[in-house]
Amino acid sequence: MDRPTWAPEGVDMTLPSPARMYDALLGGSHNFEVDRQAAEQGKALVPDLPRLALSNRAFLRRAVRFLVDSGVRQFLDIGSGIPTAGNVHEIAQEIDPECRVLYVDIDPVAVAHARAILSDNDNATAVEADLRKPAELMERAGATGLIDLDQPVGVLLIAVLHLLADDDRPAEMVSDLRAVMPTGSFVAISHLTSATRPEDAAKLGANAANKSKVGIHFRGREAITAMFDGWELIEPGVVELPLWRPESDRDQHEAPGRSLGLAGVGRKG
Ligand SMILES: C[S@@+](CC[C@H](N)C(=O)[O-])C[C@H]1O[C@@H](n2cnc3c(N)ncnc32)[C@H](O)[C@@H]1O
């Protein structure tokens, strides 16, 4: 199996990665056979899985626009994934070209590809770091000179916290990030949930663990809401993905009551 030119040296092409599986679900081209197979296995169990990915991207777009409208001009997108249509810098810089975006991911493929497409953008770049080590992550973010901790930051944790096990203490990671963010900062979170379709959630979680060796943790409403502890929850609170401030029918990729993701935005007061 030849390594494609876009994949960094040393990448393991025999194990699926969440970043590349998600890229495959969105119809992207930065994934390997093993990722496409994993995405297909998920779709065989839950055929509307691609709608969930679209619904999540639509929430990301609305949340970023909301944050820019609220005065945020710098974004820390953690677990940013492989760049695909509608990236944070495109959404934010369309409204204000001065918006700065730092993409952070643990996956070297995601980081390499982000750096490549951002090479001519002075206001955006990508670094490799682990959300489970917030102090180290913030050190790397600081070294880029892109994020000014004297100004409000939009922290994006979109479809990443469900990749952390309970033992990784995801709510604590969010809280550690809040502690270093200036007042007026925001956090936007989307998270896979077992609240709406528990059987489908259980099937997908078990399949990912057994077949793909990827830990995906569908959580209940209470656990996801607890991730906003200490933040002021913005209306309408923690809701199904398509119900968070929908702008048009285009945002309704999943029917109400059927979304496998919950989302919300909080502000540090
Ligand atoms: C499903 S993708 C989401 C991409 C993008 N945020 C979105 O919602 O469209 C999740 C991303 O989180 C990254 N990730 C997983 N664990 C991480 C960790 N501990 N630290 C940083 N990134 C992580 C994965 O590599 C992957 O790119």
Side-chain angles (χ1 to χ4, degrees), residues 133-156:
K133 298 175 184 160
E136 199 177 301
L137 186 155
M138 288 310 297
E139 209 176 287
R140 292 196 190 166
T144 65
L146 212 55
I147 302 292
D148 172 5
L149 287 179
D150 289 328
Q151 300 293 325
V153 181
V155 180
L156 307 175

mmCIF file of all heavy atoms in Angstrom, residues 133-156:
data_model
loop_
_atom_site.group_PDB
_atom_site.id
_atom_site.type_symbol
_atom_site.label_atom_id
_atom_site.label_comp_id
_atom_site.label_asym_id
_atom_site.label_seq_id
_atom_site.Cartn_x
_atom_site.Cartn_y
_atom_site.Cartn_z
ATOM 1 N N LYS A 133 -3.833 17.144 27.475
ATOM 2 C CA LYS A 133 -2.720 17.826 28.167
ATOM 3 C C LYS A 133 -2.864 19.327 27.927
ATOM 4 O O LYS A 133 -2.127 19.924 27.121
ATOM 5 C CB LYS A 133 -1.382 17.330 27.610
ATOM 6 C CG LYS A 133 -1.177 15.839 27.836
ATOM 7 C CD LYS A 133 0.095 15.359 27.171
ATOM 8 C CE LYS A 133 0.215 13.857 27.327
ATOM 9 N NZ LYS A 133 1.124 13.253 26.362
ATOM 10 N N PRO A 134 -3.872 19.958 28.595
ATOM 11 C CA PRO A 134 -4.207 21.354 28.287
ATOM 12 C C PRO A 134 -3.050 22.330 28.495
ATOM 13 O O PRO A 134 -2.911 23.287 27.729
ATOM 14 C CB PRO A 134 -5.371 21.670 29.222
ATOM 15 C CG PRO A 134 -5.715 20.438 29.932
ATOM 16 C CD PRO A 134 -4.749 19.367 29.616
ATOM 17 N N ALA A 135 -2.197 22.078 29.506
ATOM 18 C CA ALA A 135 -1.106 23.029 29.757
ATOM 19 C C ALA A 135 -0.131 23.024 28.580
ATOM 20 O O ALA A 135 0.269 24.087 28.071
ATOM 21 C CB ALA A 135 -0.397 22.684 31.062
ATOM 22 N N GLU A 136 0.213 21.813 28.129
ATOM 23 C CA GLU A 136 1.136 21.690 26.991
ATOM 24 C C GLU A 136 0.497 22.267 25.721
ATOM 25 O O GLU A 136 1.154 22.945 24.925
ATOM 26 C CB GLU A 136 1.430 20.193 26.809
ATOM 27 C CG GLU A 136 2.661 19.878 26.016
ATOM 28 C CD GLU A 136 2.876 18.365 25.986
ATOM 29 O OE1 GLU A 136 3.021 17.743 27.056
ATOM 30 O OE2 GLU A 136 2.872 17.817 24.863
ATOM 31 N N LEU A 137 -0.799 21.997 25.577
ATOM 32 C CA LEU A 137 -1.525 22.526 24.402
ATOM 33 C C LEU A 137 -1.456 24.050 24.378
ATOM 34 O O LEU A 137 -1.148 24.658 23.348
ATOM 35 C CB LEU A 137 -2.975 22.033 24.468
ATOM 36 C CG LEU A 137 -3.903 22.334 23.295
ATOM 37 C CD1 LEU A 137 -5.030 21.292 23.223
ATOM 38 C CD2 LEU A 137 -4.511 23.712 23.345
ATOM 39 N N MET A 138 -1.684 24.671 25.539
ATOM 40 C CA MET A 138 -1.682 26.133 25.589
ATOM 41 C C MET A 138 -0.278 26.694 25.361
ATOM 42 O O MET A 138 -0.123 27.763 24.787
ATOM 43 C CB MET A 138 -2.253 26.625 26.921
ATOM 44 C CG MET A 138 -3.754 26.447 27.069
ATOM 45 S SD MET A 138 -4.732 27.060 25.677
ATOM 46 C CE MET A 138 -4.373 28.806 25.706
ATOM 47 N N GLU A 139 0.724 25.924 25.760
ATOM 48 C CA GLU A 139 2.103 26.359 25.526
ATOM 49 C C GLU A 139 2.378 26.394 24.013
ATOM 50 O O GLU A 139 2.935 27.356 23.496
ATOM 51 C CB GLU A 139 3.031 25.363 26.205
ATOM 52 C CG GLU A 139 4.337 25.928 26.669
ATOM 53 C CD GLU A 139 5.121 24.858 27.405
ATOM 54 O OE1 GLU A 139 4.742 24.524 28.536
ATOM 55 O OE2 GLU A 139 6.096 24.338 26.801
ATOM 56 N N ARG A 140 1.945 25.327 23.330
ATOM 57 C CA ARG A 140 2.162 25.290 21.869
ATOM 58 C C ARG A 140 1.352 26.376 21.170
ATOM 59 O O ARG A 140 1.797 26.986 20.209
ATOM 60 C CB ARG A 140 1.775 23.917 21.314
ATOM 61 C CG ARG A 140 2.714 22.869 21.790
ATOM 62 C CD ARG A 140 2.639 21.594 21.007
ATOM 63 N NE ARG A 140 3.417 20.602 21.732
ATOM 64 C CZ ARG A 140 3.400 19.323 21.525
ATOM 65 N NH1 ARG A 140 2.634 18.823 20.573
ATOM 66 N NH2 ARG A 140 4.133 18.496 22.238
ATOM 67 N N ALA A 141 0.129 26.598 21.680
ATOM 68 C CA ALA A 141 -0.717 27.643 21.083
ATOM 69 C C ALA A 141 -0.028 28.999 21.256
ATOM 70 O O ALA A 141 0.044 29.804 20.325
ATOM 71 C CB ALA A 141 -2.090 27.649 21.744
ATOM 72 N N GLY A 142 0.521 29.223 22.453
ATOM 73 C CA GLY A 142 1.190 30.492 22.750
ATOM 74 C C GLY A 142 2.384 30.716 21.830
ATOM 75 O O GLY A 142 2.637 31.844 21.389
ATOM 76 N N ALA A 143 3.107 29.640 21.527
ATOM 77 C CA ALA A 143 4.325 29.750 20.714
ATOM 78 C C ALA A 143 4.009 30.216 19.283
ATOM 79 O O ALA A 143 4.893 30.743 18.593
ATOM 80 C CB ALA A 143 5.047 28.411 20.682
ATOM 81 N N THR A 144 2.782 30.061 18.837
ATOM 82 C CA THR A 144 2.440 30.492 17.476
ATOM 83 C C THR A 144 2.269 32.011 17.411
ATOM 84 O O THR A 144 2.305 32.595 16.324
ATOM 85 C CB THR A 144 1.112 29.863 16.983
ATOM 86 O OG1 THR A 144 0.044 30.370 17.812
ATOM 87 C CG2 THR A 144 1.133 28.351 17.039
ATOM 88 N N GLY A 145 2.022 32.654 18.555
ATOM 89 C CA GLY A 145 1.809 34.095 18.586
ATOM 90 C C GLY A 145 0.451 34.500 18.007
ATOM 91 O O GLY A 145 0.169 35.691 17.836
ATOM 92 N N LEU A 146 -0.392 33.525 17.727
ATOM 93 C CA LEU A 146 -1.668 33.826 17.059
ATOM 94 C C LEU A 146 -2.799 34.128 18.053
ATOM 95 O O LEU A 146 -3.755 34.818 17.732
ATOM 96 C CB LEU A 146 -2.045 32.615 16.187
ATOM 97 C CG LEU A 146 -2.796 32.846 14.907
ATOM 98 C CD1 LEU A 146 -2.071 33.818 13.995
ATOM 99 C CD2 LEU A 146 -3.011 31.520 14.165
ATOM 100 N N ILE A 147 -2.667 33.563 19.258
ATOM 101 C CA ILE A 147 -3.740 33.725 20.242
ATOM 102 C C ILE A 147 -3.278 34.669 21.347
ATOM 103 O O ILE A 147 -2.259 34.441 21.989
ATOM 104 C CB ILE A 147 -4.136 32.345 20.852
ATOM 105 C CG1 ILE A 147 -4.594 31.371 19.746
ATOM 106 C CG2 ILE A 147 -5.205 32.490 21.926
ATOM 107 C CD1 ILE A 147 -5.902 31.723 19.070
ATOM 108 N N ASP A 148 -4.066 35.741 21.564
ATOM 109 C CA ASP A 148 -3.749 36.752 22.561
ATOM 110 C C ASP A 148 -4.677 36.528 23.764
ATOM 111 O O ASP A 148 -5.887 36.752 23.662
ATOM 112 C CB ASP A 148 -3.972 38.139 21.925
ATOM 113 C CG ASP A 148 -3.866 39.263 22.934
ATOM 114 O OD1 ASP A 148 -3.528 38.992 24.098
ATOM 115 O OD2 ASP A 148 -4.123 40.421 22.534
ATOM 116 N N LEU A 149 -4.088 36.091 24.886
ATOM 117 C CA LEU A 149 -4.927 35.746 26.038
ATOM 118 C C LEU A 149 -5.419 36.968 26.820
ATOM 119 O O LEU A 149 -6.010 36.840 27.881
ATOM 120 C CB LEU A 149 -4.207 34.752 26.951
ATOM 121 C CG LEU A 149 -4.109 33.325 26.386
ATOM 122 C CD1 LEU A 149 -3.371 32.397 27.333
ATOM 123 C CD2 LEU A 149 -5.479 32.742 26.055
ATOM 124 N N ASP A 150 -5.203 38.161 26.255
ATOM 125 C CA ASP A 150 -5.807 39.357 26.843
ATOM 126 C C ASP A 150 -7.125 39.699 26.144
ATOM 127 O O ASP A 150 -7.809 40.653 26.535
ATOM 128 C CB ASP A 150 -4.844 40.560 26.730
ATOM 129 C CG ASP A 150 -3.660 40.380 27.666
ATOM 130 O OD1 ASP A 150 -3.846 39.765 28.739
ATOM 131 O OD2 ASP A 150 -2.545 40.815 27.309
ATOM 132 N N GLN A 151 -7.429 38.982 25.090
ATOM 133 C CA GLN A 151 -8.670 39.226 24.333
ATOM 134 C C GLN A 151 -9.525 37.958 24.359
ATOM 135 O O GLN A 151 -8.967 36.858 24.432
ATOM 136 C CB GLN A 151 -8.344 39.538 22.857
ATOM 137 C CG GLN A 151 -7.459 40.755 22.646
ATOM 138 C CD GLN A 151 -8.163 42.035 23.050
ATOM 139 O OE1 GLN A 151 -9.367 42.170 22.882
ATOM 140 N NE2 GLN A 151 -7.415 42.968 23.626
ATOM 141 N N PRO A 152 -10.874 38.111 24.270
ATOM 142 C CA PRO A 152 -11.731 36.914 24.297
ATOM 143 C C PRO A 152 -11.361 35.912 23.207
ATOM 144 O O PRO A 152 -10.999 36.290 22.088
ATOM 145 C CB PRO A 152 -13.130 37.473 24.044
ATOM 146 C CG PRO A 152 -13.055 38.905 24.426
ATOM 147 C CD PRO A 152 -11.646 39.356 24.175
ATOM 148 N N VAL A 153 -11.426 34.638 23.568
ATOM 149 C CA VAL A 153 -11.100 33.551 22.639
ATOM 150 C C VAL A 153 -12.362 32.721 22.414
ATOM 151 O O VAL A 153 -13.137 32.502 23.350
ATOM 152 C CB VAL A 153 -10.001 32.638 23.248
ATOM 153 C CG1 VAL A 153 -9.624 31.524 22.281
ATOM 154 C CG2 VAL A 153 -8.758 33.452 23.626
ATOM 155 N N GLY A 154 -12.570 32.258 21.210
ATOM 156 C CA GLY A 154 -13.629 31.295 20.919
ATOM 157 C C GLY A 154 -13.003 29.910 20.925
ATOM 158 O O GLY A 154 -12.259 29.570 20.009
ATOM 159 N N VAL A 155 -13.267 29.149 21.983
ATOM 160 C CA VAL A 155 -12.702 27.791 22.062
ATOM 161 C C VAL A 155 -13.713 26.837 21.436
ATOM 162 O O VAL A 155 -14.874 26.781 21.857
ATOM 163 C CB VAL A 155 -12.433 27.393 23.537
ATOM 164 C CG1 VAL A 155 -11.846 25.985 23.604
ATOM 165 C CG2 VAL A 155 -11.508 28.395 24.207
ATOM 166 N N LEU A 156 -13.272 26.117 20.435
ATOM 167 C CA LEU A 156 -14.178 25.189 19.752
ATOM 168 C C LEU A 156 -13.782 23.762 20.097
ATOM 169 O O LEU A 156 -12.631 23.357 19.887
ATOM 170 C CB LEU A 156 -14.096 25.402 18.234
ATOM 171 C CG LEU A 156 -14.307 26.844 17.765
ATOM 172 C CD1 LEU A 156 -14.081 26.967 16.259
ATOM 173 C CD2 LEU A 156 -15.722 27.313 18.117
#
